[in-house]
Amino acid sequence: MRARTVATTLQKVCKLACCGFCPIYPRGENYGTTFPGTPKQLAKKGKTWVEAALRASGSLPEDISLLTLEITELGSIGLLGDIRVLTVTYDKPTDLPTKFIAKFAAVDFDARMITDLFDLTLSEVRFYTQLQQHLDIIDTPRCYYADIERLSNKYILLIEHLGFTRSASFRDFTVPNSLSVEEARLCMLQMARLHARYWGEKGKEVPWLNRTDNKLMEDLIPAQEKIMWRHFVKKDQGGTKPIDWNYVVPEKLIEKWSSVKKNTFLYLSRLEKHPFRTCLHGDTRLDNWFFYNDKSSNPAAGLIDWQLITVGISVQDLTWFFLGSVDNDFAREHEEGLLRIYLDELNKNLEKPIDEDAFFEEYSLAYFHSTVKAMVAVSKVKKSQKRNLKICDKMMCGALAGMERRDTWAAFEKLENNGLWINHKSAISKEILDRRKTIAGFAARVTPEELAGGVKN
């Protein structure tokens, strides 16, 4: 691990240990005032603070006040955040909702390590305060207040309670066949519109976005992969036993694992000049989709939980959706048709249609990335987290089934041999190659002439 990452990691760990759970009220950078950083602090601040917050954000008129505030549990647990339901009454009629979702920093130290190390909470706050207004083409919850203190990385969001405001419903990935084909189609349309909005160079309009190839990941993932692989094969993550898991480690993955480790950053490093580069939601599994009927009574779908918003390759959102939202039988029957719905909608929103052969090849290859990502999720599970264990196991089964279904190893071998439609010489800059010494000697195998090329003919 490089000295740069050691220093950055130690700094963030120390900051989390010293300030992350401090009982002092944090002072927000958006409004310059203190805010409740935990549900307990919110209960102490009460309706006086909620009223002031809604007024400060411009949501609540000066002549309307809150009469009551009730804080209750949501009934589900956020993996990377602490969530409560706020029920309020007003002294005058208003169009404002009487129910809100309040989201805080996670209470679990391991979860906070993830969010703080990669600035995920900051990304979500920035999404609602800086980016959401430019994404009216997709459905997201309305935000009424958002603030963060970066010393402690505590934050608070007051957002729309979708079940109350839109009678929205959610689907349970642990329940077989919980997503219909029509609902999956709506998801494809939403992802296509999101990706088209920041396609290619347009993503540079949002310079604060995380990247799938950021330097911290570059240094931390190799160490993570060594630990992760050992527990993944033994099936003993977080005190679990093999009987707790249904996934089966394929012989092909065991055979190719050393090559996977060597080529992880080769894959990530293609981002810099990749023609499918765009803004990703980052966590398009079923738990983060909501479904409702719009004002015209037409079925609609939208996305919540924007902590993992990032710059990446478009198909990464698609593979993550299929492995984390539908059963394998559903994928085998409907995946191809749904991908074509996505591709048609994407092309409608782009200045120039993308190459279909390149798209399906990149989609197959993206299962390599999503399988490693699913292994990371599996490695974080604890035996006591029964629902999370079930979700991660099903995701892992979906990832491995997707690799087999899409013949990912054939695309992976093309990656190794520089034979993809979107090949190294068009997708990786010379500067990236020079900087990344951990790409298993790849830079030495690519000539300057090859770097000057384009998409394969």
Side-chain angles (χ1 to χ4, degrees), residues 176-197:
N177 301 309
S178 58
L179 190 71
S180 70
V181 177
E182 173 58 22
E183 289 167 341
R185 185 187 73 83
L186 294 172
C187 296
M188 292 296 110
L189 297 176
Q190 289 288 288
M191 285 188 285
R193 292 164 190 162
L194 169 64
H195 296 162
R197 174 63 181 83

Side-chain angles (χ1 to χ4, degrees), residues 329-343:
D329 289 343
F330 182 102
R332 278 193 292 270
E333 184 175 356
H334 301 293
E335 180 181 42
E336 195 76 13
L338 289 168
L339 289 174
R340 291 192 178 278
I341 289 171
Y342 166 89
L343 188 57

